[in-house]
Amino acid sequence: MTGARLDRRKRTAAAAAVILSAVSIALAGCSGSRLDPVSPVDARTVLADFKSRGVSSHLEALQRIADANDGNRASGTNGYEESGRYVEEQLRAAGYTPVRQAFSFRGEGRNKKRVQSFNILADTGGSAERTVVVGAHLDSVPEGPGINDNASGVAAVLETARWLKESGIAPANRVRFAFWGGEEDGLYGSQHYVDELSRTEKQQTAANLNVDMAASPNGVRSVHDGDGTDFGNAGPAGSKAIEDIFFRFFEENSLPAETTPFDGGSDYDAFLSAGIPGGGLFTGDVKKKTQAQVQEYGGQAGKHLDPCYHEACDTIANTNADLLKEMSAALAYATAAYATGKG
């Protein structure tokens, strides 16, 4: 998740203005196509399935890649390239045909050279007129391997893609699995993707499900506040349905969960700005866990949800494997619901 180099209060204010603008666009009829999620699977069955899946194997692979490449997987580095190859190999093995979407951005530092990077996209079958983009950023910060932030999100998306193929569910609506580059530098990959969409393609994008940090060691289960009732920043029309489908999964599995605001700090931002319904999952970064949260989730009060956020210590030891499986299962449940949803 980006944000270490930006004033979060400024970003939050800017994001609020953008989202309000996006809502206006949606109300004017320019938002993504209407899609009501309908789950074809039982939430408890999905969770049980994911408890036996090797979701953490993806973290182990990306940790090895970082270890072999100066301790990070930042965009424009060999570590990022090898991370991309790993994702592509996993997708091909599952029966997908991944493609790279190249882009560049101006890097930081005195020279400010352009950084060459790419997104990875892989589609299911189903109608392109109702496309659901399920994504996570693939890059880390230069300071560390980025295993919670965001190899955990990558693992959730990869395992959801694999599970959807294995489940026998036939998507009526196209699901596009996306792995974004340049997130930690300024959300460049997802912004490039949205910028490259035609007006028609934007209208045909029914939803964006985003996962950023899904295994925080002292984490919580949180879902973005799609209707704005808790934090005041609502997403475009349709975002509440995304919030609701995630909460349905947690409720049916008797797992406590809470809302988190759209603060502009992850790849959903470009979609919201374009009037596309958005939502997603997050387990926490620099905030400290409250006593009330300890009662709900366990863990340590007064300690950061992720004490290694954007640090070299964001290794596989900095993750909660059980939480990762729960959040990955939630993503799979919601993805299936949107893949088979009614327009």
Side-chain angles (χ1 to χ4, degrees):
M1 172 170 279
T2 193
R5 298 176 179 84
L6 299 173
D7 186 300
R8 297 187 70 84
R9 289 174 296 178
K10 291 180 180 178
R11 283 192 61 86
T12 301
V18 165
I19 293 167
L20 287 173
S21 174
V23 173
S24 298
I25 292 172
L27 291 174
C30 297
S31 66
S33 57
R34 177 71 181 178
L35 184 58
D36 295 320
V38 179
S39 180
V41 287
D42 177 74
R44 290 164 292 185
T45 300
V46 178
L47 180 59
D49 192 358
F50 269 76
K51 284 184 175 180
S52 65
R53 298 183 73 89
V55 188
S56 291
S57 65
H58 303 304
L59 306 189
E60 294 166 1
L62 292 170
Q63 177 73 68
R64 288 193 296 270
I65 289 170
D67 290 344
N69 290 278
D70 299 320
N72 73 81
R73 302 178 301 99
S75 280
T77 68
N78 289 337
Y80 186 78
E81 171 64 32
E82 290 189 23
S83 296
R85 290 177 189 169
Y86 173 78
V87 166
E88 290 164 337
E89 290 168 1
Q90 292 294 308
L91 290 169
R92 290 192 189 101
Y96 294 94
T97 304
V99 297
R100 291 191 180 191
Q101 181 186 42
F103 66 94
S104 66
F105 59 92
R106 193 168 298 281
E108 296 184 346
R110 295 178 63 183
N111 294 328
K112 294 187 177 180
K113 294 180 179 179
R114 293 204 70 80
V115 176
Q116 303 298 321
S117 191
F118 56 87
N119 301 320
I120 298 173
L121 309 172
D123 293 348
T124 69
S127 174
E129 294 183 0
R130 294 183 299 275
T131 296
V132 181
V133 180
V134 179
H137 75 86
L138 180 57
D139 60 319
S140 75
V141 293
E143 292 81 6
I147 303 303
N148 185 37
D149 185 15
N150 186 40
S152 65
V154 170
V157 176
L158 268 179
E159 208 58 29
T160 292
R162 287 158 51 101
W163 172 84
L164 192 63
K165 281 284 189 181
E166 295 167 11
S167 69
I169 296 169
N173 314 305
R174 180 174 69 180
V175 178
R176 172 164 287 171
F177 294 106
F179 302 85
W180 311 118
E183 193 270 357
E184 296 291 7
D185 301 277
L187 311 177
Y188 290 113
S190 52
Q191 186 65 61
H192 176 79
Y193 173 83
V194 173
D195 288 346
E196 289 295 299
L197 295 176
S198 67
R199 180 180 178 86
T200 297
E201 288 170 331
K202 289 177 183 175
Q203 292 174 334
Q204 292 177 340
T205 305
N208 168 234
L209 310 183
N210 186 69
V211 189
D212 198 345
M213 304 179 67
S216 302
N218 195 35
V220 300
R221 303 177 199 93
S222 64
V223 176
H224 285 292
D225 182 22
D227 59 5
T229 54
D230 294 327
F231 294 98
N233 295 331
S239 298
K240 183 181 185 299
I242 300 173
E243 177 186 350
D244 288 346
I245 198 70
F246 281 125
F247 271 112
R248 185 183 308 167
F249 171 85
F250 291 124
E251 288 166 1
E252 292 188 10
N253 281 291
S254 300
L255 294 172
E258 60 189 62
T259 53
T260 189
F262 282 129
D263 64 1
S266 193
D267 290 300
Y268 56 74
D269 198 51
F271 292 88
L272 301 186
S273 299
I276 296 168
L281 300 168
F282 177 55
T283 58
D285 50 26
V286 296
K287 288 186 178 179
K288 294 181 178 180
K289 180 168 277 188
T290 66
Q291 188 59 52
Q293 288 174 324
V294 170
Q295 293 175 356
E296 293 281 5
Y297 309 103
Q300 294 181 289
K303 301 295 184 181
H304 294 295
L305 300 176
D306 180 357
C308 290
Y309 176 65
H310 285 187
E311 301 288 346
C313 58
D314 186 12
T315 65
I316 198 166
N318 186 54
T319 59
N320 181 326
D322 290 336
L323 184 57
L324 175 61
K325 290 181 178 182
E326 293 164 357
M327 301 304 273
S328 299
L331 180 67
Y333 179 79
T335 299
Y338 272 93
T340 58
K342 306 298 183 181

